[in-house]
DNA sequence: CGGTTCTGCCAC
DNA sequence: AAACGTGGCAGAACCG
């Protein structure tokens, strides 16, 4: 049983209970939007009280619907995200033969519009609908029931749809988690952050002016170059000045500068490092993104081409290690920080059923395992070779090590090579659970067409070959990165299930209130951060040990969900800490 | 002047 | 050594 929520007009919502084929089982209920949260809360409560399996909420876009519910203090157990599922189903090669995949694209094929408001409930679905209508985008949805039915039909038409079902479920619960993490926020101590900034840059100064330590470095750079006007923030200005000083560099990038010996190099690199901190995560960033002691990034599930999550605003994908000490648990709380060790190589071993490679990953350090098997001589070599295999490196040390890897792990290497060849031919590739790559763009195809014609110039031919190889590297990586993203989704989904269990067993847990969390998460362990292969749970200290065990169990369960009995391990690095920076 | 592209660097 | 995947972002540089 599922309940499809759809908006009928700016002030009301329809709740339609449907069966497993998406057929209505009762007359739809009309609700005022303002009463939706209470309605959902009551249904969730009643199911929990009855010990029944949770009903699935079906809606167009979890970030909107669930964002609003969370703002109203209401949590749900399960959902089906129509838009995310639509995109997967339409593009998956597993569903290519269905009417659903063959139908013309609709509004459902377009990505959800990004959230714009910070965290406050100013941007509710209610207002969004008005915006949507005003912007001329057809009032979605409101064929949500029909869309759900179409998706269920499509899945039913796919032979052996088990993996695809798992993917849609994982993607949907991922969308719930994304909304929950945004709502809860990452605990952030601005005074710690400020202390780091002051240490690195000098005391805070108004936006647009250089802090003292940066100004001092800029002065040293000017002196050493004998040029009073050079501006270290301007690549053009720096490049000219360095050329005049006899450094025949072609760019001012860090790696090129590091190749030269000159007194100005050290202070310049130091300047760049600190200036980066100021512009990317300085006081301006802090003012803009830290609200009441929490960082609330806007996660975008499925936002990357491979199915990885993207984020928008605040740069959550790139929190520099420099400032991670500011991520600090509330008093009486802990952070459980975990990351999957060498996730992608392990995923590759499982995808290709390469038992030798999986065996090398039996320990916590897969690269050490590869060395122990005598494939290469050092851990560094093992790492470079593996990354090169997954990214498509052809030159340098990585390229030179490839033959050794191919000899030791022929199945794994064959899998990535085949994915690369498919991409070079313009074909689609598909992850373990069924997410397929987009086809190459029209200009890519045009380039290939032109090059294959009789009168093609050598320039056209080489350009086309280069584009083909580029796309091959993308598809090569897609299968591994995308399948790893699926493992991570299942990991988080299992973990969330476990955390809800803790909550259910501790109904009135008094404990310490989390300082800045809203009513939904102020007393319970909850996910606060996710980045490709690592997670952070913010938990009352008394549950930290149990949470850590759940995190570890969830990783093992995810491995079994995806790969059954295939003997591949997914060990974690895991630490229970006060501060993120203490985790590794 | 505002909008777009480029540069360089951060994360996994 | 700077090729080899996925992203986000700020500020400079460029352009009409």
């Amino acid at each position: 049983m599922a309940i499809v929520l759809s908006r009928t007009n700016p002030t009301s919502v329809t709740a339609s209970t449907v069966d497993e084929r998406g057929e209505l089982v009762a007359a739809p209920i009309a609700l005022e939007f303002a009463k939706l949260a209470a309605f959902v809360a009551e249904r969730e409560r009643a199911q929990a009280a009855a010990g029944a399996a949770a009903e699935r909420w079906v809606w167009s876009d979890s970030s909107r619907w669930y964002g609003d519910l969370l703002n109203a203090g209401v949590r749900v157990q399960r959902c089906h995200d129509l838009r995310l599922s639509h995109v997967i189903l339409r593009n998956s090669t597993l569903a290519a033969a269905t009417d659903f995949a063959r139908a013309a694209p609709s509004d459902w094929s377009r990505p959800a519009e990004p959230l714009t408001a910070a965290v406050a409930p100013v941007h509710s679905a209610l207002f969004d609908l008005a915006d949507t209508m005003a912007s001329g985008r057809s009032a979605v949805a409101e064929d949500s029931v029909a869309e759900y039915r179409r998706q269920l039909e499509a899945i039913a038409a796919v032979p052996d749809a088990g993996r695809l079902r798992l993917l849609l479920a994982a993607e949907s619960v991922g969308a719930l988690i994304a909304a929950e993490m945004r709502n809860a926020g990452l605990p952030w101590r601005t005074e710690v952050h400020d202390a780091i900034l002051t240490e690195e840059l000098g005391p805070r100064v108004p936006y647009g002016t250089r802090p003292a330590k940066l100004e001092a470095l800029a002065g040293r750079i000017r002196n050493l170059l004998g040029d009073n006007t050079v501006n270290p923030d301007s690549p053009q200005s720096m490049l000219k000045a360095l050329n005049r000083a006899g450094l025949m560099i072609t760019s001012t990038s860090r790696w090129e500068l590091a190749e030269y010996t000159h007194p100005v190099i050290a202070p310049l690199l130091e300047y760049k490092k600190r200036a980066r901190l100021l512009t990317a995560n300085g006081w301006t960033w802090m003012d803009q993104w830290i609200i009441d002691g929490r960082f609330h990034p806007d996660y975008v599930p499925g936002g990357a081409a491979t199915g990885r999550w993207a984020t928008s605003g605040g740069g959550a994908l790139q929190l520099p290690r420099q400032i991670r000490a500011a991520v600090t648990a509330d008093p009486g709380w802990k952070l459980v920080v975990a990351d999957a060790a060498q996730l992608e190589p392990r995923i590759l071993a499982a995808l290709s059923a390469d038992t030798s490679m999986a065996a090398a990953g039996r320990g916590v350090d897969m690269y050490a395992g590869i060395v122990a098997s005598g494939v290469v001589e050092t851990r560094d070599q093992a790492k470079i070779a593996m990354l090169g295999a997954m990214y498509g490196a052809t030159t340098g040390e990585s390229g030179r090590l490839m033959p050794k890897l191919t000899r030791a792990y022929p199945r794994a290497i064959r899998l990535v090579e085949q994915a690369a060849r498919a991409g070079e031919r313009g074909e689609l590739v598909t992850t373990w659970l069924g997410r397929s790559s987009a086809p190459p763009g029209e200009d890519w195809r045009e380039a290939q067409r032109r090059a294959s014609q009789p009168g093609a110039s050598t320039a056209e031919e080489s350009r086309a070959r280069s584009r083909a190889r580029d796309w091959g590297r993308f598809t090569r990586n897609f299968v591994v990165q995308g399948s790893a993203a699926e493992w991570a989704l299942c990991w988080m989904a299992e973990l969330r299930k476990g955390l809800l269990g803790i909550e259910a067993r501790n109904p009135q847990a008094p404990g310490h209130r989390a300082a800045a969390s809203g009513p939904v998460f102020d007393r319970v362990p909850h996910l606060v951060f996710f980045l490709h292969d690592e997670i952070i749970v913010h938990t009352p200290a008394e549950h930290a040990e149990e949470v850590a065990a759940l995190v570890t169990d969830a990783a093992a369960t995810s491995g079994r969900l995806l790969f059954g009995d295939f003997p591949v391990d997914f060990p974690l690095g895991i630490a229970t800490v006060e501060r993120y920076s203490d985790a590794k």
Side-chain angles (χ1 to χ4, degrees):
Chain A
M1 220 68 104
I3 308 174
V4 185
L5 296 180
S6 54
R7 294 184 296 247
T8 30
N9 66 53
T11 58
S12 60
V13 168
T14 302
S16 313
T17 303
V18 299
D19 63 17
E20 57 286 343
R21 297 204 335 276
E23 303 293 342
L24 286 172
V25 299
I29 301 166
L31 287 166
E32 282 175 53
F33 184 81
K35 295 186 176 155
L36 175 63
F39 172 79
V40 172
E42 171 54 24
R43 295 293 285 251
E44 288 275 322
R45 193 204 56 76
Q47 291 154 32
E55 288 172 307
R56 197 180 286 283
W57 299 95
V58 179
W59 48 44
S60 53
D61 171 9
S62 305
S63 65
R64 305 272 169 177
W65 286 95
Y66 196 35
D68 285 343
L69 289 172
L70 287 166
N71 282 333
V74 175
R75 233 176 144 187
V76 305
Q77 303 253 346
R78 310 168 73 196
C79 85
H80 178 92
D81 189 299
L82 287 169
R83 191 176 305 279
L84 293 172
S85 299
H86 179 101
V87 170
I88 290 171
L89 277 171
R90 270 192 71 84
N91 296 342
S92 177
T93 54
L94 305 184
T98 62
D99 294 340
F100 188 85
R102 285 199 271 245
S106 67
D107 254 6
W108 291 103
S109 317
R110 293 202 270 170
E113 290 184 26
L115 296 169
T116 50
V119 203
V122 282
H123 217 71
S124 73
L126 178 60
F127 295 112
D128 292 336
L129 182 62
D131 293 350
T132 305
M133 288 174 149
S135 72
R137 188 164 164 174
S138 76
V140 260
E142 298 328 337
D143 59 344
S144 287
V145 174
E147 172 64 16
Y148 186 46
R149 199 179 304 128
R150 287 192 294 268
Q151 293 189 9
L152 291 173
E153 275 169 22
I155 297 162
V158 172
D160 296 321
R163 289 185 188 177
L164 209 43
R165 284 181 205 278
L166 177 57
L167 175 55
L168 298 185
E171 185 85 342
S172 292
V173 72
L176 293 182
I177 292 168
E180 289 175 351
M181 287 198 297
R182 178 171 196 258
N183 182 276
L186 183 64
W188 197 280
R189 292 265 290 273
T190 50
E191 70 276 22
V192 175
H193 187 178
D194 179 68
I196 294 168
L197 295 177
T198 302
E199 166 71 24
E200 296 288 318
L201 303 169
R204 179 169 187 168
V205 292
Y207 176 79
T209 54
R210 261 197 200 115
K213 292 198 179 182
L214 272 187
E215 192 54 61
L217 280 166
R220 275 179 65 198
I221 291 163
R222 289 196 208 99
N223 281 341
L224 287 162
L225 290 173
D227 180 341
N228 281 331
T229 62
V230 67
N231 172 13
D233 291 322
S234 157
Q236 214 173 53
S237 153
M238 274 313 300
L239 188 60
K240 280 183 196 150
L242 290 165
N243 285 162
R244 276 197 296 272
L247 292 171
M248 290 302 118
I249 50 174
T250 58
S251 85
T252 62
S253 60
R254 200 170 54 79
W255 67 264
E256 191 168 358
L257 287 172
E259 289 176 344
Y260 289 79
T261 313
H262 187 284
V264 81
I265 301 287
L268 180 53
L269 292 179
E270 200 177 325
Y271 180 92
K272 287 161 83 77
K273 178 128 188 98
R274 296 181 193 223
R276 159 83 191 184
L277 176 64
L278 174 68
T279 55
N281 298 97
W283 292 283
T284 312
W285 180 90
M286 198 170 83
D287 288 347
Q288 185 179 355
W289 291 104
I290 307 303
I291 299 163
D292 294 335
R294 295 286 190 267
F295 173 39
H296 300 268
D298 179 10
Y299 294 97
V300 186
T306 55
R308 271 187 177 181
W309 288 12
T311 66
S312 123
L317 295 186
Q318 38 182 155
L319 275 189
R321 290 175 174 278
Q322 256 176 322
I323 58 165
R324 290 187 178 182
V327 180
T328 304
D330 287 352
W333 288 58
K334 296 279 186 189
L335 300 175
V336 176
V337 182
D339 74 308
Q342 305 94 37
L343 177 59
E344 292 191 351
R346 292 169 193 277
I347 290 290
L348 173 56
L351 290 180
S352 57
D354 192 316
T355 47
S356 303
M357 186 180 273
R362 200 70 0 110
V364 177
D365 185 349
M366 184 174 191
Y367 299 135
I370 293 174
V371 174
S373 312
V375 178
V376 292
E377 281 165 21
T378 68
R379 185 182 187 279
D380 246 22
Q381 287 181 339
K383 183 173 178 177
I384 286 170
M386 277 305 315
L387 293 176
M390 293 183 299
Y391 292 165
T394 52
T395 62
E397 187 176 11
S398 191
R400 282 195 299 280
L401 291 167
M402 279 303 294
K404 295 186 179 203
L405 219 54
T406 308
R407 230 173 295 130
Y409 309 119
R411 293 182 68 104
I413 301 305
R414 195 180 315 128
L415 186 141
V416 288
E417 291 296 330
Q418 282 174 353
R421 299 295 93 80
E424 290 168 6
R425 293 190 297 266
E427 297 166 7
L428 309 189
V429 296
T430 299
T431 60
W432 185 249
L433 291 186
R435 191 189 308 262
S436 296
S437 60
E442 186 43 45
D443 59 333
W444 187 94
R445 295 190 182 282
E446 179 58 25
Q448 305 304 323
R449 263 197 302 275
R450 257 206 298 273
S452 65
Q453 260 152 34
S457 70
T458 52
E460 281 172 334
E461 285 173 357
S462 98
R463 179 72 190 137
R465 264 199 304 277
S466 160
R467 295 285 302 274
R469 281 194 301 267
D470 290 348
W471 198 255
R473 284 193 301 276
F474 165 62
T475 54
R476 167 197 295 268
N477 188 250
F478 181 96
V479 292
V480 180
Q481 189 184 110
S483 301
E486 289 162 354
W487 179 91
L489 276 180
C490 291
W491 179 36
M492 274 200 295
E494 285 299 316
L495 172 58
R496 178 177 186 264
K497 206 190 288 180
L499 295 176
L500 286 168
I502 293 184
E503 199 174 330
R505 287 192 299 280
N506 297 273
Q508 257 81 46
H512 295 270
R513 262 192 129 77
S517 296
V520 185
F521 300 110
D522 67 346
R523 291 175 186 280
V524 298
H526 55 279
L527 276 154
V528 288
F529 191 65
F530 170 58
L531 186 55
H532 309 320
D533 62 0
E534 68 177 290
I535 54 103
I536 302 179
V537 177
H538 194 210
T539 178
E542 65 267 28
H543 294 306
E545 211 174 312
E546 190 179 358
V547 167
L550 281 176
V551 170
T552 307
D553 290 349
T557 305
S558 177
R560 275 195 303 276
L561 266 176
L562 266 67
F563 303 114
D565 292 336
F566 184 76
V568 59
D569 294 339
F570 293 98
L572 305 177
I574 184 162
T576 299
V577 294
E578 305 282 341
R579 295 179 308 178
Y580 188 15
S581 53
D582 294 335
K584 52 184 171 183

